[in-house]
Amino acid sequence: MENRDDTLFEIDVDKISSDYDFKKLIYRLMSQIEYLVKENRELKDTIQRLRDEIARLKGCNPKPKIKPNNPSEDQQGNSNFQSGIEPKERKPSVKEKKLGKILVHNQQVVRYKGDLPDDARHKGYRSVVIQGIKIEPYNTEYRLE
């Protein structure tokens, strides 16, 4: 890249007397801004490449390249969305009970060990499945009174 730092020092604001000079100054400043933005973007890319290289040499992973959430936007955030096209709607997720899928290898009945009042009666069991893993899956269902 060429060195354009001296172009701003050549501008003499006191010599602007007409609209033509003012317009010329604005174009010159806009050109300088465009150049600086481009140079800034290239420097940021270079810095990130160097950081990734340092991370690679240290044995770490470089910064991942994360794509934007909105597929209609590019890397600079410019939207390419056309107003006539609606985004696709997502299907609702269906939740299923896990116990229907779990294979129980062992079943045990656990009785209440405390003293019960005389008028207490048995109301059934509550199933609790504890998942454990041996070399192969081994699940135990406890039936609590």
Side-chain angles (χ1 to χ4, degrees):
M1 292 194 150
E2 60 185 85
N3 187 6
R4 297 184 62 170
D5 294 335
D6 57 345
T7 57
L8 288 178
F9 296 112
E10 296 174 3
I11 299 172
D12 188 8
V13 181
D14 296 329
K15 291 185 179 179
I16 298 175
S17 60
S18 67
D19 288 342
Y20 174 76
D21 293 335
F22 187 69
K23 213 182 251 190
K24 187 176 168 184
L25 173 65
I26 289 177
Y27 283 129
R28 205 166 175 187
L29 289 174
M30 288 175 61
S31 172
Q32 184 71 20
I33 290 171
E34 184 179 332
Y35 168 78
L36 291 173
V37 167
K38 182 179 177 185
E39 183 182 34
N40 188 16
R41 189 178 309 126
E42 290 175 3
L43 289 173
K44 283 182 179 180
D45 291 343
T46 302
I47 289 170
Q48 188 58 50
R49 271 196 319 264
L50 293 173
R51 284 181 179 163
D52 290 346
E53 182 67 16
I54 289 170
R56 187 187 65 78
L57 292 173
K58 285 183 176 180
C60 302
N61 293 331
K63 181 179 176 184
K65 294 179 182 174
I66 300 172
K67 295 182 181 179
N69 286 341
N70 188 352
S72 64
E73 287 189 13
D74 57 9
Q75 291 293 338
Q76 284 78 27
N78 299 328
S79 180
N80 297 328
F81 186 72
Q82 297 173 353
S83 61
I85 300 174
E86 293 290 326
K88 295 180 181 177
E89 290 188 26
R90 297 175 71 183
K91 295 180 182 177
S93 62
V94 178
K95 294 188 177 184
E96 298 177 17
K97 258 190 164 180
K98 288 185 178 181
L99 290 179
K101 296 180 181 180
I102 296 175
L103 176 64
V104 177
H105 297 94
N106 184 13
Q107 191 174 43
Q108 296 179 3
V109 176
V110 178
R111 297 222 167 248
Y112 183 73
K113 293 183 180 172
D115 293 329
L116 294 173
D118 294 335
D119 61 342
R121 59 186 174 149
H122 180 72
K123 288 189 162 189
Y125 294 96
R126 178 173 55 111
S127 290
V128 176
V129 177
I130 304 296
Q131 294 182 336
I133 296 181
K134 292 187 177 182
I135 301 298
E136 57 189 35
Y138 187 83
N139 302 323
T140 303
E141 176 182 6
Y142 293 96
R143 294 177 51 90
L144 307 177
E145 185 175 20

